[in-house]
Amino acid sequence: HFEVYMKYLFLFLTIFTSVVTAEKYGMIFGTAEGWRNYPVYSLTCRLYDDMIKAGIKPENIIYMTYYGDVYKDVNPFKGMVFTDPADNTDGDWAKYGCFDHVDYTDKDINLEVFLAILSGDAETVKAKTGKENPKVLAAGPDDTVFTYFIDHGAEGIIVVGKDYVTDEQLLDSLKTAHEKKLYGKWVWFMEACYSGSMFKNLPKDWDIYIMTAADDKHPAWMSNCPPNDAIAGTHLGTCISSLWDEAFMVYAEEKSKDVIGDLVDTVKKEVAETSDQNVSEFGDMSFRDLPLSEFFGELPAPSFRSVKKTSSASTVSLDQVPLHLAKWRAIRADKSESAVALAEYEKLAFESAKREVEVMRLGAALMNEKAADKALRTPSESYSASCVRELSIALHEKCGHSFPFSETTSNLLRNICLPGLSVPNVNWNEICM
């Protein structure tokens, strides 16, 4: 009996010790800048505030984001950010001090630093940033990690600052973290167009679960865009939030004790009512049965005011956001500003038309005109992902196309890149105008 007693006592102490010593860690990455990328500032700030209020220690959170525009004249409410329209400024989230705790910004936002943080490579981060004791992933095998990422993306690519990270590079970093036992369980929530393309080859036995805002075939959507962009009667002139992000944050704030699967199913349904971006899941599906609070912490009460569900009228596919914002600037401009605003709108409309023409020229050069025209409107289920990725990078570098690409452009690239094909030879001098 004594041996049995000691066995159970040892088991109890082991479990108790693991519970006591387990820590929660968080990583927040908002790696796009510019006023049209306002949700990068607003949503990362909101999530940081949530994590702190839910009990995650500040020293356990790695926070990378741009935020300079928050304090510039472009922002009618300097120093404040919002995630939903309001008739007052009571809900500005920057007042909680989120931007005082940013670890990496501006020149430190690049491919090398991002990947080194994920793989726990402090020496590389120190060499690239000059920080004496840089924060990198350094949790342990009993700890949980919650990661939120927001930026642009394309097939097998996410943008980080002025760089792009491929799916292979990202998975290599996750593999290194897994091998170094830098975490126990890891949950990722990723906002990027075509973000589902980043994790199609993620193994299911790395103790990682990922929800992406979109699948591998669709752009993500912004929300609370003009004309639904007013705070205290003043229009911000940008999209205030993102459709998927707003949905998951509202749920997490109100129901942090629920299991992850309930959150994901609810968010999938809500997002599908307004867009076709197709919220997706990857990795270890057993995580669906775990409480969100195991990763996110437990909020004592909802942090943010309850808001009405975003209407479809104020949601915009991310690839259309620049043109949408320019149009509304022209609509709202007074006589002294109308000529400049209209010229800006015309410039962006021309650039959009130029991209469409160049994409069609690429299709016509590699297929024929009729086949290319059909390919624009026909999704391809089977294709060479590496070929699509390389053509996407070439359009970006050779013709100056910006991420994210439109759905029609992605359709064409997939139809060009049949399964097993390598990247075709292209004379870009004949494609780019």
Side-chain angles (χ1 to χ4, degrees):
H1 291 292
F2 178 76
E3 290 180 356
V4 173
Y5 170 78
M6 292 302 296
K7 177 181 177 182
Y8 281 105
L9 178 62
F10 176 77
L11 179 62
F12 171 78
L13 290 174
T14 300
I15 295 173
F16 178 77
T17 302
S18 66
V19 170
V20 169
T21 59
E23 291 270 348
K24 293 181 178 66
Y25 289 80
M27 292 193 285
I28 301 173
F29 299 104
T31 60
E33 63 178 333
W35 192 244
R36 73 180 180 90
N37 292 312
Y38 183 92
V40 167
Y41 322 136
S42 64
L43 292 168
T44 58
C45 182
R46 176 172 177 169
L47 191 64
Y48 181 86
D49 179 64
D50 273 344
M51 285 184 170
I52 295 299
K53 288 183 176 178
I56 300 180
K57 300 173 184 176
E59 60 268 26
N60 287 0
I61 300 175
I62 298 171
Y63 191 3
M64 171 186 281
T65 190
Y66 292 102
Y67 62 93
D69 279 354
V70 174
Y71 298 97
K72 295 178 181 176
D73 289 342
V74 67
N75 185 3
F77 301 98
K78 284 188 180 180
M80 297 183 180
V81 291
F82 306 85
T83 58
D84 55 83
D87 58 7
N88 58 64
T89 60
D90 293 345
D92 84 272
W93 315 136
K95 69 185 177 187
Y96 298 111
C98 58
F99 298 131
D100 295 333
H101 300 278
V102 172
D103 300 295
Y104 302 97
T105 191
D106 298 331
K107 63 181 178 60
D108 293 335
I109 300 179
N110 58 63
L111 176 150
E112 292 87 358
V113 172
F114 174 71
L115 294 178
I117 289 170
L118 298 181
S119 58
D121 184 357
E123 289 303 312
T124 293
V125 177
K126 181 179 179 179
K128 294 294 181 180
T129 66
K131 297 179 184 294
E132 188 61 33
N133 296 299
K135 280 186 175 181
V136 299
L137 178 60
D142 295 319
D143 301 325
T144 62
V145 181
F146 178 83
T147 298
Y148 170 62
F149 176 95
I150 178 170
D151 201 325
H152 301 295
E155 174 70 43
I157 296 168
I158 51 173
V159 181
V160 174
K162 293 179 172 60
D163 300 327
Y164 35 77
V165 176
T166 68
D167 52 339
E168 284 101 340
Q169 290 171 321
L170 180 58
L171 291 183
D172 281 347
S173 292
L174 301 187
K175 180 181 180 183
T176 299
H178 175 69
E179 291 173 346
K180 291 166 70 172
K181 295 180 171 55
L182 298 181
Y183 63 92
K185 297 185 181 73
W186 196 352
V187 166
W188 273 73
F189 285 3
M190 176 177 281
E191 161 67 76
C193 295
Y194 310 101
S195 45
S197 67
M198 296 299 293
F199 301 105
K200 290 190 288 187
N201 296 317
L202 176 70
K204 298 182 184 300
D205 61 352
W206 283 2
D207 297 310
I208 298 175
Y209 170 85
I210 293 168
M211 174 172 62
T212 60
D215 60 9
D216 61 338
K217 298 179 176 62
H218 295 89
W221 287 59
M222 297 292 97
S223 65
N224 293 325
C225 301
N228 199 39
D229 61 331
I231 303 293
T234 298
H235 294 289
L236 295 186
T238 187
C239 298
I240 303 176
S241 190
S242 300
L243 180 62
W244 166 83
D245 312 64
E246 182 81 11
F248 94 70
M249 287 187 191
V250 168
Y251 191 104
E253 289 159 1
E254 295 179 350
K255 302 177 182 179
S256 59
K257 295 180 182 180
D258 283 13
V259 297
I260 291 173
D262 287 345
L263 177 150
V264 173
D265 291 344
T266 301
V267 170
K268 278 185 179 181
K269 182 179 178 181
E270 287 185 4
V271 171
E273 291 173 356
T274 310
S275 78
D276 62 357
Q277 61 192 66
N278 294 338
V279 175
S280 300
E281 302 170 84
F282 303 90
D284 188 340
M285 291 300 137
S286 70
F287 278 43
R288 288 176 54 88
D289 297 324
L290 299 177
L292 179 64
S293 58
E294 187 172 333
F295 301 85
F296 190 76
E298 193 170 311
L299 284 164
S303 275
F304 300 90
R305 59 174 171 258
S306 178
V307 297
K308 295 179 181 178
K309 186 179 292 187
T310 301
S311 70
S312 59
S314 66
T315 57
V316 181
S317 178
L318 195 49
D319 59 295
Q320 294 297 313
V321 166
L323 197 59
H324 179 85
L325 299 181
K327 178 185 73 175
W328 276 96
R329 278 194 292 273
I331 290 170
R332 291 167 171 167
D334 59 27
K335 286 187 177 181
S336 66
E337 300 171 336
S338 59
V340 172
L342 186 59
E344 181 185 358
Y345 180 50
E346 289 175 343
K347 178 176 178 289
L348 288 175
F350 173 80
E351 290 176 355
S352 177
K354 174 178 171 291
R355 289 193 296 270
E356 290 181 10
V357 170
E358 289 171 340
V359 167
M360 187 60 184
R361 284 160 70 106
L362 175 64
L366 297 176
M367 304 174 175
N368 59 60
E369 289 183 354
K370 289 185 177 179
D373 183 60
K374 181 180 179 181
L376 287 169
R377 294 173 278 105
T378 308
S380 176
E381 295 297 327
S382 183
Y383 57 90
S384 168
S386 60
C387 169
V388 174
R389 185 183 65 206
E390 294 308 310
L391 282 180
S392 299
I393 292 172
L395 275 173
H396 173 67
E397 295 183 344
K398 304 291 187 181
C399 299
H401 291 208
S402 57
F403 297 123
F405 291 168
S406 68
E407 193 172 329
T408 54
T409 295
S410 296
N411 285 343
L412 179 70
L413 296 182
R414 291 188 176 98
N415 280 292
I416 288 173
C417 294
L418 297 177
L421 287 187
S422 57
V423 181
N425 291 321
V426 176
N427 184 347
W428 292 101
N429 289 328
E430 295 183 357
I431 303 302
C432 305
M433 301 174 69

